[in-house]
Amino acid sequence: MSFSIERYKEESKKLDTSGIDWQAVTASPLSKGDLFCLHYMMDIENHVPLYLSHLLVTRACMDPILTAFLACWNYEELWHGENLGKLLNLYGIEFDAQDRIANVRANLGFQNSVSILSTMVGSWLLKDFSAVYLTIGAINELSTLTGYAALIRKSGHPVLKDLLGRIIKDERRHYAFYFNSAKEWLTGNEKAQRVDRWMLNRFWVPVGQGVKTQEQVDALALYLFDDEQGEEDLLALDEKIGKLPGLAGIELMSRALYAARERRRQDPEWAWRLIDNEEWAVASPKKSPIGELTTRRTRGGTALSAVEGT
Ligand SMILES: [Fe+2]
Ligand SMILES: [Fe+2]
């Protein structure tokens, strides 16, 4: 698996959706589980700029190759979220994408600031912190594309299959970058390998956790991966990450699935109730109206830009 940053910079572009049969979105049904996963995935794709804000307070910002990648990567991820939202809207689920994104962010509140600060401190204290976020990047991209492939399989929806197939190609390139960069950092660097393994075993969480609750993460994991094929996919994923220097035999995604199964065993309603009750709306923030949290304040409910015709 090779990766060239020069080629990536030249070829990076907005997701090509030409030829997708958007009109056929309503011709095939999506189950409650499919819809739950799509909302989760859209929210996490749309959360990438905030994840980026974490990376840019680390030593990552010193590396021009990494920042060039992040500039293109952030743009590509934007169009993943946009198109998942478009598909949901066309399917008949009404929401305002901008309000939803703002609400997800506003609900993070203080926790987001603490998380940025601790990432910053960790990075400046530990020289090999780079190995950790590069490895986490590889795991996140690989688990995202594995999740999309699982959703294609579960839903059997032709338009979703077409869209996710295109997104998966982007995610593969992202994975290649992170994996190769992590490998480069870890090769011949035993201290970094030890730090990486230790941090992953203690602090790693599946992609989206923190923005989503444990029960939401488990609902996604159990819907997509709680069958023979799904479990195999996650074991294969761990095996791929285990090929990084110092990470042989590491169990991350498979361990997350087994932990989700255990929580459901203790409470049979766990996770599935979110899917059954169609709990994919994002609540408005308790403290501040959304207008106060964004630059787009409104007058009498109408956006300023619309009032002023800009
Ligand atoms: Fe993405
Ligand atoms: Fe990605």
Side-chain angles (χ1 to χ4, degrees):
M1 185 174 53
S2 63
F3 184 91
S4 153
I5 188 68
E6 291 309 321
R7 202 169 142 206
Y8 180 63
K9 281 195 288 188
E10 289 293 336
E11 292 179 358
S12 170
K13 61 178 182 346
K14 169 183 170 181
L15 188 78
D16 180 6
T17 57
S18 55
I20 290 185
D21 190 3
W22 293 110
Q23 288 182 333
V25 168
T26 49
S28 311
L30 288 163
S31 70
K32 285 182 181 183
D34 301 332
L35 291 170
F36 180 87
C37 292
L38 279 167
H39 282 87
Y40 183 115
M41 290 159 164
M42 171 183 68
D43 289 341
I44 302 311
E45 291 282 7
N46 286 331
H47 195 69
V48 163
L50 264 76
Y51 180 63
L52 177 63
S53 72
H54 283 69
L55 290 182
L56 291 179
V57 297
T58 66
R59 290 168 190 261
C61 64
M62 300 298 170
D63 176 0
I65 292 179
L66 186 53
T67 49
F69 170 79
L70 293 176
C72 302
W73 165 79
N74 187 39
Y75 180 69
E76 291 179 0
E77 301 289 14
L78 171 85
W79 293 102
H80 299 172
E82 292 272 331
N83 281 293
L84 291 174
K86 179 177 175 175
L87 187 136
L88 284 170
N89 283 156
L90 288 172
Y91 190 72
I93 298 181
E94 288 176 18
F95 58 87
D96 181 276
Q98 308 314 319
D99 279 356
R100 186 175 174 100
I101 295 169
N103 283 331
V104 169
R105 293 177 188 175
N107 279 322
L108 296 175
F110 186 58
Q111 168 207 334
N112 187 53
S113 311
V114 171
S115 168
I116 288 183
L117 281 172
S118 46
T119 309
M120 193 179 197
V121 171
S123 160
W124 290 101
L125 287 178
L126 278 173
K127 193 175 140 287
D128 289 312
F129 199 73
S130 303
V132 181
Y133 57 67
L134 291 170
T135 309
I136 288 177
I139 301 167
N140 284 354
E141 298 291 347
L142 186 57
S143 49
T144 301
L145 75 90
T146 307
Y148 287 153
L151 185 56
I152 289 175
R153 194 174 70 239
K154 290 275 171 192
S155 70
H157 191 288
V159 184
L160 185 59
K161 179 182 178 186
D162 189 2
L163 174 63
L164 292 181
R166 296 172 196 228
I167 295 178
I168 285 174
K169 286 187 186 150
D170 280 356
E171 310 295 15
R172 279 220 177 88
R173 279 192 294 275
H174 302 164
Y175 167 61
F177 172 80
Y178 282 117
F179 186 90
N180 288 339
S181 305
K183 191 173 170 188
E184 208 174 301
W185 192 283
L186 291 164
T187 301
N189 186 346
E190 276 179 33
K191 191 165 150 264
Q193 294 174 18
R194 276 198 304 276
V195 168
D196 199 19
R197 194 176 186 107
W198 190 86
M199 294 281 284
L200 289 169
N201 274 328
R202 275 155 195 83
F203 301 111
W204 173 85
V205 289
V207 61
Q209 190 159 338
V211 179
K212 299 291 178 185
T213 63
Q214 182 69 68
E215 188 170 12
Q216 289 170 323
V217 175
D218 286 353
L220 182 101
L222 292 169
Y223 182 71
L224 292 179
F225 299 115
D226 191 25
D227 57 15
E228 208 177 313
Q229 171 81 58
E231 189 173 341
E232 255 175 46
D233 287 352
L234 295 190
L235 289 166
L237 190 160
D238 282 345
E239 212 180 301
K240 281 184 189 160
I241 298 302
K243 290 205 164 78
L244 283 171
L247 298 188
I250 198 156
E251 289 169 356
L252 298 168
M253 285 299 288
S254 55
R255 203 177 65 194
L257 174 65
Y258 302 147
R261 281 180 180 166
E262 178 56 23
R263 282 184 283 271
R264 190 192 46 196
R265 197 186 60 76
Q266 289 177 9
D267 175 1
E269 299 267 289
W270 179 258
W272 285 106
R273 63 189 164 197
L274 301 184
I275 292 175
D276 270 347
N277 299 336
E278 304 186 8
E279 287 186 29
W280 43 70
V282 171
S284 293
K286 287 190 189 92
K287 290 191 181 128
S288 320
I290 208 71
E292 282 179 20
L293 294 160
T294 68
T295 53
R296 265 157 286 285
R297 288 165 189 273
T298 57
R299 279 186 204 145
T302 313
L304 273 182
S305 56
V307 171
E308 288 159 8
T310 50

